[in-house]
Amino acid sequence: MDWHRIRSDFPVLDQQVHGHPLVYLDSAASSQKPRAVINTLSHYYERDNANVHRALHELSNRATEAFEAARKKVARFVGAASEDEIIFTRGTTEGINLVANTWGAQNLKAGDVILYTGMEHHSNLVPWQLLAQRTGATLKHIPVLDDGTLDPASIDTLLNEQVKLFAFVHISNSLGTINPAKELCARAKAVGAVTLLDGAQSVGHLPIDVQDLGCDFLVFSGHKMCAPTGIGGLYGRMELLERMLPWHGGGEMIAEVRLDGSTYKQPPHRFEAGTPDIAGVIGLGAAIDYLEAVGMENIHRHDANLSHYAVQQMREVPDIRILGPQSGPRGSLVAFHFDWAHPHDLVEFANSHGIAMRGGHHCTMPLMKRFKVPGTTRASFYFYNTIDEINRLVEVLHAARKFFT
Amino acid sequence: MDWHRIRSDFPVLDQQVHGHPLVYLDSAASSQKPRAVINTLSHYYERDNANVHRALHELSNRATEAFEAARKKVARFVGAASEDEIIFTRGTTEGINLVANTWGAQNLKAGDVILYTGMEHHSNLVPWQLLAQRTGATLKHIPVLDDGTLDPASIDTLLNEQVKLFAFVHISNSLGTINPAKELCARAKAVGAVTLLDGAQSVGHLPIDVQDLGCDFLVFSGHKMCAPTGIGGLYGRMELLERMLPWHGGGEMIAEVRLDGSTYKQPPHRFEAGTPDIAGVIGLGAAIDYLEAVGMENIHRHDANLSHYAVQQMREVPDIRILGPQSGPRGSLVAFHFDWAHPHDLVEFANSHGIAMRGGHHCTMPLMKRFKVPGTTRASFYFYNTIDEINRLVEVLHAARKFFT
Amino acid sequence: MPLSDELRDLYQQVILDHSRNPRNHGELPPPCLHAHGDNPSCGDEIDVWLRLGDNGVIEDLKFKGQGCAISQASASMMTQKIKGKSKDQAASMREDFRRIVMGDGAPQDEDALGELVLLEGVQKFPQRVKCAMLAWRAVEQALEGK
Amino acid sequence: MPLSDELRDLYQQVILDHSRNPRNHGELPPPCLHAHGDNPSCGDEIDVWLRLGDNGVIEDLKFKGQGCAISQASASMMTQKIKGKSKDQAASMREDFRRIVMGDGAPQDEDALGELVLLEGVQKFPQRVKCAMLAWRAVEQALEGK
Ligand SMILES: Cc1ncc(COP(=O)(O)O)c(C=O)c1O
Ligand SMILES: Cc1ncc(COP(=O)(O)O)c(C=O)c1O
């Protein structure tokens, strides 16, 4: 693979920040976009822009065709059995809220257990907390071990017949831990629990096949996988989707509306009320085309190399505490802590050297408490990053240590 | 105003459809985008793209600044007292669902009346129907007279102390009727009802001042006012917003998250869970800059001229039945019906002559029933349309009549 | 005003005539098979009533509907052509008709379709395929309970 | 590795020293005024305890907190400077300090701020203004109940 050529597909990377070449190590928060995706948006707005569905004029036909073609691409990309199992959302957060407010509100009652883990993003905690308040369901969580993995003994005891829903993150955005999704889904299925997989950090980083993984729901964000902001996807198994009542009411999701009541369309349209983010959806399709052209296996391998190298090199910085798995596979990110500098000071220091990282709780406050840190600094990678950039990061960490101590 | 120069700001308009210059008369469904907005998106993705809030690196600072600047622009554009009263949504539909699921679910109980009108878009019907099912509230509606206006006698009787919420459309997307929003809000206030104004067809077409109008909530869609798809706004009076519980749970809307519960931020962030449509928000800001440069008064006047001229000219086509006000002010759209052709056939015919119109129920099925039509054909205008285009439309309507009868 | 060839092909006189003066319009008295079909995305609706003989032959059928010229003409022409045919014959005509309106391969027995073949102009208008197929899907539903 | 001037200005030795060895760190025993401040967007937190004399003078104050060097140093330096000052003096020092970190006009009495003036490097880092102001807002809240 010519990774340098691929890097040049990303115009944003070609700039200086504070007199240094930009080193963008914040892709876990949001990825950059290749020119192909940016151009798809411009092209859509310059040639084809119109509202989709229910129109017969040329622009609307073109927009509708591109829109529904993107749904097929997403279905194929995540291995869904049918494109009707793909619902477009604003992102991971909206997808989880949709499931909580439809499937969850319909199926959970007092005493049922919602199981999650101690490493969930707020997006995979708060919606279930709100749902538990509403239904009387009980919240339980699988604790995280010191090495950043889930406690197997707790899985044995907690993942039992009381559990109606098991929601867990595929790749932790704060630890880099890759959870054994296939095994966990199988075990959940064995006790009759429905599974929701938070794929925010895995979709676009690993090849994904929902049928092989065996999850019932998968949620992800386009903006973290080269697509525009504001678009994402929810995969749901049709058997579940077709029994779910609508969430948002409005245009496009109805079969018939009377002044006193209405009937609803089949999935996925039942769950897509109102004018969708048409350009965003088409841009997501273009991002998938782009990722597939690079190759998901290639991307995964490159990601893994970067994070492996980063962990190795960063371990040499004195006093550093790297969270998450210390060896073996990890997602393409490394979060770490120093006693001598607060994450925000470190991020500020790095920024003045052109390096973009994120410091703080990364929307995983309970995990920060678990590891007794006020927050961490996180360097996260994607296939457009290079070994050189990691070297540069390590250099800057050394300099920061000298400066702050 | 040099309207021809302004028209040339819209690249999409410069194309041929079936060998004819495109005549885009479907702006009520979705408006076209000026180059300034398209370029803002490209520029954002090529220079500044990063996740907003809670980061300290350069790109994230730029993105956050542009994002929050757009909130200020929206607040000023609709006359809000503070930018904290502006919540970003996907569009009108999501805004109404947000209000129904937060303010509505908290404040409505069995026996309370939700009042709407017979000319509402499905987006302003179905969310209230779902809410009524959940709360036991009663749905009532103000009937529409033959001339497309609300029945004043019914307003007198129906808008009473039982009404907790009065939700109504500012400009009807199917009739063109401009409802007397200020008067209706004042009357609602007098009986203690909260008002929600559906501004999908008015924001971006008329100067809007929520404080002058006196509405409690205003919802609108960016894609109908030159902004990208997938972004819109909800204005809510702070007094109401600050008492509303959150809707979606996730990142950005929380103050503190524990594994067993959470506390929430102040509005507007309380209602913006997860990564927002950053580029969409910034694009909405650019659209507002553009509209303000053209001038909202100018746009309104141009719109009004076009629809006035269109009604005049179209009345000359034999057998036509134009819905909505036959004289006086109307929104920039004309919906009509012929006995001799179904709307879809007419739209297809027009399309083969380069004209983009929409045929069908326009997400107002109850209104179609009310006027005993299976649907209508709608020509809708914006400030980039011209008198010439209307002449062309009328010509094609004559030809269609000859062809189909 | 010049009309495009595609448009003339889509709306041939025969088609417009069927849509204005639909044949076999109305309801059959029970007992009979009945199905309702609609295209929620465009609002076209159709009801078909259908009496099947002991020998599996469609003895009579009628329809009522509202929608565009294509959906109504297709329904009207269909009723004329499948009356007197067996369930199986109707099914293979449906498949042949689908091929014609979608441009998806050659029909097995074009002759059996008669003037229905005139609807091949729909090929150029992919959004209208579902209009042309609406009545056919309703008949399938009535016959097969699908 | 060369450091930018802005960064050196932001993190001057005095500032780093205050953040590493915060003065007046700890709690006061009740009865006293207390307020908690936080920046939810970055997670910085502070608690201030404050004893007011009958004459409206801040007789003693202490703080505990966690957060970045700027927020902790600002808190530490503040406690030294406003101890012994009246409520009103503290309020005008807060306003002067705000002007300095935001670059929003000249302070009325720069001398009163002493080494707090060193935090003017924050001007170049608008995202950090709320860090610098955190402790001041907490004191305001404790004093004014705001
Ligand atoms: C009056 C009115 N209300 C609501 C809507 C729904 O807007 P959106 O589909 O952008 O959510 C529309 C437009 O489709 C409309 O015209
Ligand atoms: C693991 C995980 N889950 C959920 C989210 C939320 O995604 P979004 O903010 O795009 O809705 C994120 C990213 O922020 C994440 O990393």
Side-chain angles (χ1 to χ4, degrees):
Chain A
M1 292 300 302
D2 183 353
W3 293 108
H4 279 276
R5 191 186 48 74
I6 285 169
R7 182 181 169 88
S8 71
D9 291 339
F10 292 79
V12 79
L13 298 177
D14 182 23
Q15 67 177 295
Q16 303 264 318
V17 164
H18 295 297
H20 303 274
L22 169 63
V23 176
Y24 185 77
L25 302 182
D26 196 22
S27 292
S30 202
S31 78
Q32 295 303 341
K33 324 299 175 201
R35 196 171 281 107
V37 169
I38 304 172
N39 289 351
T40 296
L41 296 179
S42 300
H43 183 271
Y44 167 75
Y45 286 124
E46 285 171 8
R47 306 313 294 166
D48 306 333
N49 176 65
N51 212 326
V52 291
H53 304 305
R54 225 160 346 103
L56 291 167
H57 62 77
E58 174 70 16
L59 269 52
S60 177
N61 291 345
R62 284 190 224 151
T64 305
E65 222 165 274
F67 183 87
E68 290 300 335
R71 200 191 298 276
K72 287 210 178 81
K73 288 178 197 180
V74 173
R76 197 193 54 226
F77 191 66
V78 301
S82 152
E83 69 259 28
D84 292 340
E85 296 180 320
I86 303 299
I87 295 159
F88 290 118
T89 64
R90 181 163 38 240
T92 303
T93 303
E94 190 182 32
I96 297 173
N97 280 277
L98 194 161
V99 174
N101 282 279
T102 53
W103 184 89
Q106 266 173 271
N107 290 285
L108 289 178
K109 50 181 200 317
D112 288 342
V113 170
I114 300 172
L115 184 64
Y116 43 59
T117 84
M119 63 172 87
E120 298 310 313
H121 189 280
H122 295 161
S123 292
N124 207 16
L125 293 173
V126 185
W128 308 120
Q129 295 174 349
L130 295 171
L131 180 65
Q133 280 168 23
R134 190 169 152 196
T135 60
T138 304
L139 302 168
K140 296 196 178 169
H141 73 275
I142 298 172
V144 177
L145 299 180
D146 285 345
D147 69 356
T149 61
L150 295 174
D151 175 30
S154 300
I155 300 177
D156 289 344
T157 54
L158 291 175
L159 189 48
N160 58 36
E161 270 76 14
Q162 286 182 298
V163 175
K164 288 283 146 7
L165 177 85
F166 181 28
F168 65 96
V169 69
H170 195 179
I171 300 184
S172 158
N173 67 308
S174 285
L175 298 170
T177 312
I178 305 180
N179 284 313
K182 185 171 177 171
E183 181 202 324
L184 291 174
C185 288
R187 294 186 61 169
K189 194 167 190 172
V191 298
V194 161
T195 45
L196 178 138
L197 188 61
D198 173 351
Q201 298 295 340
S202 61
V203 178
H205 285 268
L206 304 174
I208 295 283
D209 184 330
V210 287
Q211 296 185 71
D212 180 55
L213 289 170
C215 59
D216 293 301
F217 296 106
L218 169 78
V219 287
F220 61 94
S221 300
H223 70 93
K224 295 187 200 273
M225 48 175 280
C226 296
T229 60
I231 192 67
L234 162 65
Y235 155 83
R237 242 181 351 107
M238 185 47 77
E239 205 187 314
L240 298 173
L241 289 184
E242 70 197 358
R243 292 191 207 147
M244 277 155 50
L245 296 173
W247 184 28
H248 297 196
E252 305 300 345
M253 53 70 75
I254 53 85
E256 193 201 352
V257 176
R258 299 177 312 279
L259 280 166
D260 58 351
S262 302
T263 54
Y264 312 110
K265 280 196 189 153
Q266 291 302 309
H269 299 289
R270 187 187 299 165
F271 305 105
E272 294 178 352
T275 302
D277 182 359
I278 304 165
V281 166
I282 295 171
L284 176 59
I288 288 175
D289 288 342
Y290 180 84
L291 292 175
E292 288 184 332
V294 178
M296 284 311 303
E297 286 291 354
N298 292 328
I299 290 173
H300 175 43
R301 211 170 315 118
H302 187 81
D303 268 16
N305 286 345
L306 289 176
S307 63
H308 180 72
Y309 182 79
V311 169
Q312 271 190 329
Q313 297 301 308
M314 288 166 72
R315 268 227 209 88
E316 309 290 308
V317 184
D319 312 327
I320 200 170
R321 176 177 169 204
I322 294 177
L323 273 70
Q326 299 297 311
S327 63
R330 62 152 60 224
S332 55
L333 58 92
V334 184
F336 52 94
H337 178 72
F338 290 106
D339 276 332
W340 44 259
H342 188 274
H344 291 157
D345 296 314
L346 203 54
V347 166
E348 192 80 80
F349 186 92
N351 183 51
S352 81
H353 292 85
I355 300 182
M357 288 192 292
R358 190 154 293 241
H361 54 61
H362 312 290
C363 293
T364 52
M365 282 192 195
L367 195 67
M368 297 298 109
K369 212 173 254 178
R370 155 71 182 81
F371 282 100
K372 297 195 178 59
V373 288
T376 66
T377 307
R378 183 183 70 189
S380 57
F381 318 114
Y382 211 3
F383 57 95
Y384 39 68
N385 289 120
T386 65
I387 292 286
D388 277 357
E389 289 180 317
I390 291 172
N391 290 336
R392 174 93 187 131
L393 166 64
V394 172
E395 225 179 291
V396 166
L397 290 181
H398 280 288
R401 184 161 172 275
K402 234 172 98 188
F403 181 75
F404 283 112
T405 54
Chain B
M1 292 301 302
D2 183 352
W3 293 108
H4 279 277
R5 191 185 50 74
I6 284 169
R7 181 180 169 89
S8 71
D9 291 338
F10 292 80
V12 80
L13 297 177
D14 181 22
Q15 68 178 297
Q16 303 265 317
V17 164
H18 296 297
H20 302 274
L22 169 65
V23 176
Y24 186 78
L25 302 182
D26 196 22
S27 292
S30 201
S31 78
Q32 295 304 340
K33 324 299 174 200
R35 196 171 283 107
V37 169
I38 304 172
N39 288 351
T40 295
L41 296 179
S42 300
H43 184 271
Y44 168 74
Y45 286 124
E46 286 171 7
R47 306 313 294 166
D48 306 334
N49 176 65
N51 212 326
V52 291
H53 303 305
R54 225 161 344 105
L56 291 166
H57 63 77
E58 174 71 15
L59 269 54
S60 177
N61 290 346
R62 285 190 224 151
T64 304
E65 222 165 274
F67 182 87
E68 291 300 335
R71 199 190 299 275
K72 287 210 179 81
K73 288 179 195 178
V74 173
R76 196 193 56 226
F77 191 67
V78 301
S82 153
E83 68 259 27
D84 292 340
E85 295 180 322
I86 302 300
I87 295 159
F88 290 117
T89 64
R90 182 164 36 240
T92 303
T93 302
E94 191 181 32
I96 297 173
N97 279 278
L98 195 161
V99 174
N101 282 279
T102 52
W103 183 89
Q106 267 172 269
N107 291 285
L108 289 177
K109 51 182 199 314
D112 288 343
V113 171
I114 300 171
L115 184 65
Y116 43 60
T117 84
M119 63 172 87
E120 297 310 314
H121 189 280
H122 295 162
S123 292
N124 207 16
L125 292 173
V126 184
W128 308 121
Q129 294 174 350
L130 294 172
L131 180 65
Q133 279 168 23
R134 189 169 153 195
T135 59
T138 304
L139 302 167
K140 297 197 177 169
H141 72 275
I142 298 172
V144 177
L145 298 180
D146 285 345
D147 69 355
T149 61
L150 295 175
D151 175 31
S154 300
I155 300 178
D156 290 344
T157 55
L158 291 175
L159 190 48
N160 58 37
E161 271 76 13
Q162 286 182 298
V163 176
K164 287 283 145 9
L165 177 85
F166 182 29
F168 65 97
V169 69
H170 195 178
I171 301 184
S172 159
N173 67 308
S174 286
L175 299 169
T177 312
I178 306 179
N179 285 313
K182 184 171 178 170
E183 181 201 325
L184 291 173
C185 289
R187 293 186 60 171
K189 193 166 192 172
V191 297
V194 161
T195 45
L196 178 138
L197 188 60
D198 174 352
Q201 298 295 339
S202 60
V203 178
H205 286 268
L206 304 174
I208 295 284
D209 183 331
V210 287
Q211 296 185 72
D212 180 56
L213 288 169
C215 58
D216 293 302
F217 295 106
L218 169 78
V219 286
F220 61 94
S221 300
H223 70 94
K224 295 186 199 273
M225 49 176 279
C226 295
T229 59
I231 193 67
L234 162 64
Y235 156 82
R237 241 179 354 103
M238 185 48 76
E239 205 187 314
L240 297 173
L241 290 185
E242 69 196 0
R243 291 191 208 147
M244 277 155 50
L245 295 174
W247 183 28
H248 296 196
E252 304 301 344
M253 52 72 74
I254 52 85
E256 193 200 351
V257 177
R258 296 178 315 278
L259 281 166
D260 58 351
S262 303
T263 55
Y264 312 111
K265 281 194 189 156
Q266 291 301 308
H269 300 289
R270 188 186 299 166
F271 305 105
E272 293 178 353
T275 303
D277 182 0
I278 305 165
V281 165
I282 295 170
L284 175 59
I288 288 175
D289 288 342
Y290 180 84
L291 292 174
E292 288 184 334
V294 178
M296 284 311 304
E297 285 292 354
N298 292 328
I299 290 173
H300 175 44
R301 211 170 314 115
H302 187 81
D303 269 15
N305 286 345
L306 289 176
S307 63
H308 180 73
Y309 182 78
V311 169
Q312 270 191 331
Q313 297 301 308
M314 289 166 72
R315 269 228 208 84
E316 309 292 307
V317 184
D319 313 327
I320 200 169
R321 177 180 169 203
I322 294 177
L323 273 71
Q326 300 297 311
S327 63
R330 62 153 60 223
S332 55
L333 59 93
V334 184
F336 52 95
H337 180 71
F338 291 106
D339 276 332
W340 44 258
H342 187 274
H344 290 157
D345 296 314
L346 202 55
V347 166
E348 192 81 79
F349 186 93
N351 184 50
S352 80
H353 293 85
I355 299 182
M357 287 191 293
R358 191 154 292 241
H361 54 62
H362 312 292
C363 293
T364 54
M365 283 192 195
L367 194 67
M368 297 299 108
K369 212 172 253 177
R370 155 71 183 81
F371 282 101
K372 297 196 178 58
V373 289
T376 66
T377 307
R378 182 184 70 189
S380 57
F381 318 114
Y382 211 3
F383 57 94
Y384 41 67
N385 290 120
T386 65
I387 292 288
D388 276 357
E389 290 180 315
I390 291 172
N391 290 335
R392 173 92 188 133
L393 166 65
V394 172
E395 226 179 289
V396 166
L397 290 181
H398 281 288
R401 185 162 171 275
K402 234 172 95 189
F403 181 75
F404 283 112
T405 55
Chain C
M1 186 168 294
L3 295 184
S4 71
D5 293 345
E6 283 87 3
L7 199 71
R8 284 198 189 284
D9 285 349
L10 181 65
Y11 294 112
Q12 297 187 47
Q13 275 314 319
V14 180
I15 294 170
L16 289 178
D17 178 58
H18 271 278
S19 87
R20 286 185 206 119
N21 310 298
R23 323 301 197 264
N24 298 307
H25 197 257
E27 302 185 20
L28 288 185
C32 66
L33 299 170
H34 167 248
H36 173 82
D38 59 9
N39 286 329
S41 65
C42 65
D44 289 352
E45 286 188 61
I46 209 147
D47 283 278
V48 289
W49 291 265
L50 198 146
R51 198 166 52 241
L52 217 54
D54 293 338
N55 47 2
V57 160
I58 299 167
E59 287 184 347
D60 200 4
L61 81 169
K62 285 191 182 291
F63 83 100
K64 272 187 169 173
Q66 66 176 22
C68 64
I70 306 303
S71 67
Q72 303 307 302
S74 174
S76 169
M77 292 155 92
M78 172 195 75
T79 57
Q80 291 189 311
K81 282 294 159 193
I82 67 172
K83 201 188 283 191
K85 299 288 190 307
S86 73
K87 256 174 83 158
D88 289 349
Q89 283 172 314
S92 56
M93 287 170 72
R94 180 176 62 246
E95 170 57 15
D96 275 355
F97 180 70
R98 189 193 63 77
R99 291 183 188 187
I100 281 185
V101 294
M102 294 189 73
D104 182 22
Q108 305 234 313
D109 182 1
E110 190 167 324
D111 290 348
L113 293 178
E115 62 184 14
L116 276 163
V117 169
L118 297 175
L119 278 161
E120 73 178 336
V122 170
Q123 280 181 28
K124 295 273 174 51
F125 298 83
Q127 306 284 328
R128 310 302 293 272
V129 168
K130 62 184 184 313
C131 308
M133 294 303 300
L134 178 61
W136 294 85
R137 282 198 284 108
V139 165
E140 180 179 16
Q141 215 182 315
L143 287 174
E144 323 275 345
K146 274 192 201 164
Chain D
M1 185 169 293
L3 295 184
S4 71
D5 293 346
E6 283 88 3
L7 199 72
R8 284 196 189 284
D9 285 349
L10 181 64
Y11 294 113
Q12 298 187 47
Q13 275 314 319
V14 179
I15 294 171
L16 289 178
D17 178 60
H18 271 278
S19 87
R20 285 186 206 119
N21 310 298
R23 322 299 197 264
N24 297 308
H25 196 258
E27 303 185 21
L28 288 184
C32 66
L33 299 170
H34 167 248
H36 174 82
D38 59 11
N39 285 329
S41 65
C42 64
D44 289 351
E45 287 188 60
I46 210 146
D47 283 279
V48 288
W49 291 266
L50 199 146
R51 198 167 52 241
L52 216 54
D54 293 339
N55 47 2
V57 160
I58 299 169
E59 288 185 344
D60 199 3
L61 83 168
K62 285 190 182 292
F63 84 100
K64 271 187 172 173
Q66 66 175 20
C68 63
I70 306 304
S71 67
Q72 302 307 304
S74 174
S76 169
M77 290 156 94
M78 173 196 75
T79 57
Q80 292 189 311
K81 282 293 159 193
I82 68 172
K83 199 187 286 192
K85 299 288 190 307
S86 74
K87 258 175 83 157
D88 288 352
Q89 283 172 314
S92 56
M93 286 170 72
R94 182 176 60 246
E95 170 57 15
D96 275 355
F97 181 70
R98 189 193 64 76
R99 291 184 187 187
I100 280 186
V101 294
M102 296 188 71
D104 182 23
Q108 305 235 312
D109 182 0
E110 191 169 321
D111 291 347
L113 293 178
E115 62 185 13
L116 276 163
V117 168
L118 297 175
L119 279 161
E120 74 179 334
V122 170
Q123 281 181 27
K124 295 274 173 51
F125 298 83
Q127 306 284 327
R128 309 302 293 273
V129 167
K130 61 182 185 316
C131 308
M133 294 303 300
L134 179 61
W136 294 86
R137 281 197 285 110
V139 165
E140 180 178 18
Q141 213 183 316
L143 288 174
E144 323 275 345
K146 272 192 203 165

